[in-house]
Amino acid sequence: MSTFRKRVFALIVVGTVGALALTGCSAGSRTGNANATKVTCDYTAPSSATTVNVLAYNSSAIDPFTNTMVSSCTKGKVTVKHDPIDFGGQVTKTTATLAGDTGSYDIVETYGFVIPSLATAKKLRPLDDLYKKYANDYGLDKISASMRTGMSFNGKLYALPMQTQMFVMAYRADIFTKLGLKVPTTFPEMTKAADAIKAAGVMQYPIALPWLATSDVSTSFQAAMNSLGADFVTSNGKVTLNTPEAKQALQAMKSLQPYMDPQVTTFDQPKVQQQMYNNTAAMSIMFSGRMNDLTLENNSTLAKSFAFAAPPKVSDNAKYAYDRLSIDGWSIPSNTKLDPKMLFVMMASAVSEDASKASVPAAYPAREGMVTAKNSPYGKAANDSIAAAMPPVVAANLSDVSNKIRPILMQVLTGAVSVDVGLTQMQAAGEAVAG
């Protein structure tokens, strides 16, 4: 395994514990059942009619795996059922289905950063015995060991890794070429390019980022701090929001606002995609799972005009890219009444080699070395992004701190409070939940 690949997967595994994937993946699929791949799904079926309910949000990066599971594992008296749902709905339903002695779902898509809390609460079934039993049959050892570790807690595996996502910049290559612009590598270069695009009368708001007030905006702040080598907390849980790095990160975010739609705090990733589709933005930064949608001609007449790059740094002196990493995987709720062996085979089938290959370029599969510049239009950008990302801080209270400071962050970005006052308030709020 190359040094680069080792760095890629080491970064991913560390990042999942602290990553705020809830804010990053968002909602809105543009991928249909046509991407379902027929694979082996060899389980022992119950004697009576059985429905397996799968909970997974719809997006172009997730749909290939879900559709393959539904298509390949529905047979005989067994029906695998997946109802379309956006990310917010998935979060709500996950909480509900794991709350009682009996849940509504039998397979649940989950994320590395929530594994510790769900495992501690005994909401998920450990998978080690099933992994050992079926690893050879489905080539599960080819799934990154680092990603498997990222889906583990206290040495136990709680989810079977499916795919990972990282920030990628999408930009209008036609506009950049016409105006003689270089692909931005820093926020100041982004605003310089935006000035040129505005001056040429091409569009009023050339930059688009998902800053949804209830989720994405705190991921953006965290990515900006990460670019400067910092985070909301240190590895020992100490809150670090009233710091020079936090101030510089907030100022960097605010520097982009004049070039973004005034309604940006209502925009999730699907909305940012629409801005790119509709010729109202020339630069965007989203999770990689959103990139392939931009290349599909049935989504936009501009599909051939988009190009991709690693996300920029927030400043010339920043060490890392403005970036976040996340892992998605399949888990078995502890409260399902169905046979865990059957469920695990379904999960393993959905992440098999054939299924994973078929997911490219829509997804970045958990199996090593599958995404390249040759088989994915954003493959080089994705790999460059991972290589430029800060190894994320691992701290148990990171998610709680992020949720607590988000309303104050919004007040700063809307101008209700100053950067300095906001940072002081966020530090106090963070310390209140961090203990």
Side-chain angles (χ1 to χ4, degrees):
M1 186 176 182
S2 69
T3 300
F4 172 75
R5 295 300 297 177
K6 288 179 180 178
R7 172 169 169 75
V8 166
F9 289 101
L11 277 168
I12 291 171
V13 63
V14 176
T16 50
V17 180
L20 302 179
L22 285 175
T23 67
C25 300
S26 197
S29 172
R30 301 185 72 93
T31 305
N33 288 330
N35 66 0
T37 301
K38 277 290 186 180
V39 298
T40 300
C41 188
D42 190 13
Y43 57 84
T44 300
S47 58
S48 59
T50 301
T51 298
V52 177
N53 290 300
V54 178
L55 179 58
Y57 79 98
N58 288 105
S59 82
S60 297
I62 305 301
D63 291 347
F65 301 98
T66 310
N67 293 342
T68 293
M69 185 188 297
V70 171
S71 175
S72 299
C73 299
T74 294
K75 54 187 180 180
K77 295 182 178 180
V78 176
T79 300
V80 181
K81 183 181 180 183
H82 170 255
D83 294 324
I85 192 170
D86 64 12
F87 188 79
Q90 181 195 3
V91 172
T92 300
K93 287 182 177 292
T94 297
T95 301
T97 196
L98 297 179
D101 294 333
T102 301
S104 303
Y105 293 91
D106 308 293
I107 295 175
V108 175
E109 178 203 3
T110 192
Y111 315 94
F113 80 99
V114 300
I115 291 295
S117 60
L118 294 179
T120 299
K122 298 183 179 181
K123 299 295 186 182
L124 302 179
R125 184 193 190 281
L127 303 177
D128 301 88
D129 58 332
L130 297 171
Y131 177 89
K132 183 178 180 180
K133 180 177 178 66
Y134 294 105
N136 290 336
D137 294 341
Y138 292 92
L140 301 181
D141 59 324
K142 299 301 182 182
I143 294 175
S144 163
S146 295
M147 287 200 194
R148 296 199 305 269
T149 301
M151 289 298 200
S152 301
F153 181 67
N154 283 344
K156 294 183 179 180
L157 180 69
Y158 285 93
L160 195 59
M162 173 211 306
Q163 61 105 36
T164 190
Q165 299 195 40
M166 67 297 299
F167 276 7
V168 169
M169 169 182 275
Y171 65 96
R172 286 283 298 280
D174 56 334
I175 293 175
F176 273 66
T177 298
K178 182 177 180 179
L179 299 181
L181 303 175
K182 294 182 179 180
V183 179
T185 60
T186 65
F187 275 22
E189 289 177 5
M190 281 184 73
T191 58
K192 183 178 180 180
D195 276 326
I197 292 169
K198 289 182 67 174
V202 178
M203 58 185 63
Q204 187 175 4
Y205 302 114
I207 298 175
L209 299 179
W211 278 11
L212 185 64
T214 55
S215 55
D216 300 85
V217 69
S218 52
T219 303
S220 185
F221 182 28
Q222 188 177 28
M225 286 190 67
N226 287 172
S227 182
L228 299 166
D231 210 312
F232 299 161
V233 301
T234 62
S235 58
N236 63 3
K238 180 180 178 181
V239 180
T240 54
L241 286 161
N242 199 5
T243 61
E245 292 83 5
K247 183 173 183 177
Q248 186 178 350
L250 267 184
Q251 290 173 331
M253 291 177 70
K254 288 182 72 68
S255 74
L256 302 183
Q257 282 187 277
Y259 307 96
M260 301 167 71
D261 190 293
Q263 302 300 313
V264 64
T265 56
T266 67
F267 291 173
D268 57 7
Q269 290 190 100
K271 179 63 177 179
V272 171
Q273 284 179 317
Q274 288 298 326
Q275 289 180 277
M276 299 295 284
Y277 294 146
N278 298 336
N279 194 36
T280 56
M283 293 172 275
S284 64
I285 301 172
M286 296 177 283
F287 273 104
S288 57
R290 298 293 167 182
M291 296 300 118
N292 192 60
D293 285 346
L294 298 178
T295 70
L296 304 179
E297 293 185 31
N298 60 326
N299 288 344
S300 172
T301 58
L302 300 171
K304 292 183 178 180
S305 300
F306 298 123
F308 307 95
K313 301 187 295 184
V314 300
S315 65
D316 292 331
N317 64 351
K319 185 176 181 180
Y320 302 103
Y322 166 86
D323 211 346
R324 294 301 299 159
L325 304 170
S326 174
I327 300 175
D328 298 66
W330 298 112
S331 61
I332 299 177
S334 297
N335 59 9
T336 180
K337 303 304 180 184
L338 298 185
D339 178 14
K341 294 190 292 295
M342 177 182 71
L343 299 176
F344 188 86
V345 167
M346 293 177 177
M347 290 157 41
S349 299
V351 299
S352 63
E353 182 176 3
D354 287 344
S356 296
K357 284 182 179 178
S359 75
V360 180
Y364 193 106
R367 289 173 178 267
E368 297 184 10
M370 282 203 162
V371 177
T372 69
K374 293 183 178 180
N375 64 12
S376 169
Y378 63 89
K380 183 180 185 304
N383 289 329
D384 288 347
S385 173
I386 297 175
M390 169 186 158
V393 169
V394 177
N397 60 5
L398 184 55
S399 180
D400 288 340
V401 170
S402 176
N403 291 334
K404 189 68 174 180
I405 68 171
R406 192 176 297 125
I408 305 170
L409 173 61
M410 284 307 308
Q411 289 185 305
V412 175
L413 294 176
T414 58
V417 300
S418 68
V419 169
D420 289 333
V421 170
L423 289 171
T424 299
Q425 292 180 355
M426 282 191 281
Q427 178 72 22
E431 290 176 349
V433 297

